[in-house]
């Protein structure tokens, strides 16, 4: 088998990249380890930046999102009993976010891909990547008892944090940056009406809490729990009691509870690998970086990566040269680090750390107080939450860059 771009992973990053490439006439095959049902059973965040919505439009997968997505122009930061609304239509902000579950984004992309007649191989086992630093990389996998070889011009590693793509890069090439937080989020999905029209991010002495939603009848709530906590120890009743205890009295009084339809604990981590490329392999989404969910940047960063990557692939196809792709990592990382900073900051400000002392708490209170009292402070929060612009490539790549690609290919291919 042969394709232009072999895409590893059918999460939102891989599927969105596949669609953006197809729309530009670049053929691709997606290889996914799991079944479609498994992929659709994962519950993740649900806040889309305008840039992500725009990319889904370009991918031809925005029809349902336009009718079912809920547009929010603000969110609430709650500090104990104090409620502060952040208006996303401030000076720097893009103005709005769309509430629409990542699971639904994935479903829409799957449907768009099926309608385009493009190939996705689900339950592709033992995927391995070869000759990444040559001109003719290839991928091998096992499917329905057969070994299959897929030749390609490029490989996109969209296989998440635990995938094979990043691990296929030789030792010594990558530098990792990591922060692991000493707590996780216990999340509950329920068919109950949202407690508030907009999202509530709450800082409380008992720990962080988040009130989010999927629709007018479905909610997603989270409470911070210590690292290592077991989901079996959290009955629905215990969860609702804890959530209520962390919300302002007037909000807690309005909370409608109900049986959970999903309950899970996710650890919190910040992680970035540099560079996000090696030879003809390009990493995108969780394969290259992880952010804590505070601020809902994970999916939006993945979308930004593949939007950029698709634009560079298109430019490379037009130029008949790989040179534009050389800038992928450098351009992508600028935006990645800003989102890593913002989600680290929101996490630090709003969570209770086991190691913190009274001095730390006063500093965090003072910082939040200062920002909330200042119009530019509020704008800074709004601008980051709504999403920073994509850094797209400026001009066509230089001949020097083209030479560099040839050099990489020649060294490795020989
Ligand atoms: N071979 C093939 N597929 C693989 C392999 C492998 N060895 N390893 C993992 N995969 C698949 C996973 O099964 C998954 O479907 O790659 C896909 C990666 O998808 P995601 O984990 O959803 O990552 P990504 O597409 O980058 O989406 C980023 O997901 O975790 C959230 O916060 C994150 O919202 C962000 C989004
Ligand atoms: C969610 O709805 O699951 C959600 C919303 C906002 C976040 C994180 C998760 O910051």
């Amino acid at each position: 088998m042969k394709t232009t771009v072999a895409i590893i992973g059918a999460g939102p990053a891989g599927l969105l990249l596949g669609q953006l490439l197809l729309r530009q006439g670049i053929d691709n095959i997606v290889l996914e380890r799991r079944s479609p049902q498994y992929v659709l059973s994962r519950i993740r965040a649900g806040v889309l930046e305008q840039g992500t919505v725009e990319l889904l439009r370009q991918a031809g997968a925005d029809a349902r999102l336009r009718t079912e997505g809920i547009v929010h122009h603000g969110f609430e930061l709650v500090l104990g009993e104090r409620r502060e609304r952040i208006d996303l239509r401030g000076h720097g902000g893009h103005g709005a976010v769309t509430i629409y579950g990542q699971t639904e984004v994935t479903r829409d992309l799957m449907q768009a891909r099926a309608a385009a007649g493009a190939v996705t191989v689900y339950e592709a086992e033992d995927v391995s990547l070869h000759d990444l630093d040559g001109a003719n990389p290839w991928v091998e996998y096992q499917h329905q008892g057969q070994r299959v070889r897929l030749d390609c011009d490029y490989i996109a590693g969209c296989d998440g944090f635990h995938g094979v793509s990043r691990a296929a890069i030789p030792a010594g090439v990558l530098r990792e940056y990591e922060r692991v937080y000493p707590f996780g989020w216990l999340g509950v999905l329920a068919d109950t009406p949202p407690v508030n029209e907009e999202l509530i991010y709450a800082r409380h002495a008992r720990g962080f809490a988040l009130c989010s939603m999927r629709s007018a009848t479905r909610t997603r709530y989270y409470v911070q729990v210590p690292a290592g906590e077991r989901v079996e120890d959290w009955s629905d009743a215990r969860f609702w009691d804890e959530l209520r205890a962390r919300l302002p009295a007037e909000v807690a009084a309005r909370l409608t509870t109900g049986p959970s339809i999903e309950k899970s604990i996710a650890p919190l981590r910040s992680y970035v690998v540099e560079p996000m490329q090696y030879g003809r392999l390009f990493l995108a989404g969780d394969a290259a970086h992880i952010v804590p969910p505070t601020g809902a940047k994970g999916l939006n960063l993945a979308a930004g990566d593949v939007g950029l990557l698709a634009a560079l692939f298109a430019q490379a196809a037009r130029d008949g040269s790989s040179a534009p792709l050389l800038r992928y990592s450098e351009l992508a990382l600028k935006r990645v680090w800003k989102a890593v900073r913002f989600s680290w900051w929101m996490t630090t400000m709003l969570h209770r750390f086991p190691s913190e002392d009274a001095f730390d708490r006063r500093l965090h209170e003072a910082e939040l107080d200062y920002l909330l009292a200042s119009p530019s402070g509020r704008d800074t929060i709004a601008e980051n939450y709504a999403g920073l612009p994509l850094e797209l490539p400026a001009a066509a790549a230089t001949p020097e860059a083209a030479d560099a690609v040839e050099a990489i290919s020649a060294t490795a291919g020989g």
Side-chain angles (χ1 to χ4, degrees):
M1 280 211 298
K2 168 99 184 95
T3 190
T4 304
V5 183
I7 300 176
I8 320 297
L15 291 173
L16 179 57
L17 177 63
Q19 278 309 106
L20 293 172
L21 293 180
L22 288 179
R23 291 256 160 159
Q24 311 194 70
I26 300 171
D27 66 296
N28 57 82
I29 290 180
V30 176
L31 303 178
E32 165 61 50
R33 185 165 58 137
R34 305 288 194 167
S35 67
Q37 296 75 21
Y38 183 95
V39 169
L40 286 176
S41 68
R42 292 190 291 234
I43 306 292
R44 276 145 176 203
V47 178
L48 308 183
E49 296 174 2
Q50 303 272 69
T52 303
V53 171
E54 168 55 22
L55 287 169
L56 288 165
R57 185 191 65 75
Q58 288 173 23
D62 66 332
R64 204 155 60 93
L65 154 67
R66 298 274 171 203
T67 54
E68 295 178 21
I70 311 170
V71 175
H72 282 186
H73 295 284
F75 69 94
E76 272 188 41
L77 273 182
V78 160
L79 315 169
E81 289 293 323
R82 174 176 166 201
R83 299 175 66 181
E84 293 281 356
R85 180 170 186 268
I86 300 294
D87 186 350
L88 298 176
R89 283 171 297 197
H91 295 117
H94 283 216
V97 292
T98 302
I99 307 304
Y100 191 71
Q102 179 172 322
T103 312
E104 302 313 310
V105 170
T106 309
R107 194 189 308 278
D108 296 345
L109 286 166
M110 274 180 174
Q111 272 167 14
R113 187 165 179 88
V119 179
T120 310
V121 182
Y122 284 97
E123 294 172 343
E125 293 163 42
D126 293 331
V127 173
S128 57
L129 283 52
H130 304 273
D131 293 344
L132 299 176
D133 48 2
N136 305 106
W138 52 286
V139 178
E140 199 174 36
Y141 61 96
Q142 182 96 13
H143 189 237
Q144 294 174 343
Q146 303 277 314
R147 290 293 315 152
V148 185
R149 174 176 169 135
L150 173 60
D151 288 290
C152 54
D153 294 337
Y154 304 102
I155 303 173
C158 302
D159 48 352
F161 186 63
H162 300 287
V164 286
S165 301
R166 191 178 68 246
I169 298 176
V173 171
L174 299 179
R175 173 148 189 209
E176 294 175 299
Y177 301 81
E178 185 168 43
R179 178 124 325 162
V180 177
Y181 302 90
F183 40 73
W185 278 16
L186 167 64
V188 157
L189 192 68
D191 279 328
T192 53
V195 69
N196 195 48
E197 236 172 272
E198 294 181 335
L199 268 58
I200 293 180
Y201 290 82
R203 173 189 156 92
H204 191 274
R206 296 180 69 91
F208 171 78
L210 169 61
C211 304
S212 181
M213 67 196 74
R214 292 289 176 272
S215 70
T217 56
R218 180 165 286 188
T219 47
R220 182 70 166 162
Y221 294 112
Y222 299 93
V223 293
Q224 170 189 351
V225 293
E229 195 82 353
R230 293 172 351 138
V231 74
E232 303 81 61
D233 294 333
W234 284 86
S235 65
D236 286 1
R238 182 177 175 203
F239 176 84
W240 293 120
D241 285 347
E242 190 58 43
L243 177 64
R244 236 185 255 108
R246 297 181 188 190
L247 297 175
E250 52 170 343
V251 178
R254 279 194 280 115
L255 181 72
T256 309
T257 63
S260 63
I261 46 181
E262 197 265 359
K263 196 191 290 161
S264 53
I265 297 183
L268 266 68
R269 153 195 332 258
S270 300
Y271 173 91
V272 182
V273 77
E274 292 184 1
M276 288 169 58
Q277 65 193 96
Y278 173 73
R280 287 177 176 251
L281 168 66
F282 303 89
L283 303 176
D286 280 14
H289 40 71
I290 295 284
V291 288
T294 335
K297 291 294 165 215
L299 171 61
N300 293 297
L301 272 188
D305 288 351
V306 300
L308 170 63
L309 191 52
L312 294 172
F313 273 128
Q315 199 179 328
R318 277 196 302 275
D319 297 358
S321 154
S322 313
L325 288 158
L326 282 177
R327 297 197 59 206
Y328 168 66
S329 177
E330 170 212 334
L331 292 168
L333 282 167
K334 289 189 187 196
R335 186 160 179 277
V336 165
W337 272 112
K338 288 175 192 131
V340 168
R341 185 209 68 81
F342 180 66
S343 46
W344 160 84
W345 176 81
M346 249 184 117
T347 303
T348 308
M349 285 297 128
L350 301 180
H351 288 70
R352 190 75 193 239
F353 284 71
S355 61
E356 76 188 24
D357 59 14
F359 188 80
D360 294 320
R361 279 195 285 281
R362 284 287 186 266
L363 287 183
H364 291 165
E365 283 160 15
E367 184 167 345
L368 285 167
D369 216 28
Y370 161 68
L371 288 168
L372 291 169
S374 141
S376 54
R378 285 173 173 272
D379 276 358
T380 300
I381 299 173
E383 183 181 24
N384 280 278
Y385 190 84
L388 299 174
L390 277 179
E391 305 232 11
L392 283 175
T398 60
E400 289 82 347
D403 288 343
V405 171
E406 295 310 328
I408 293 173
S409 306
T411 343

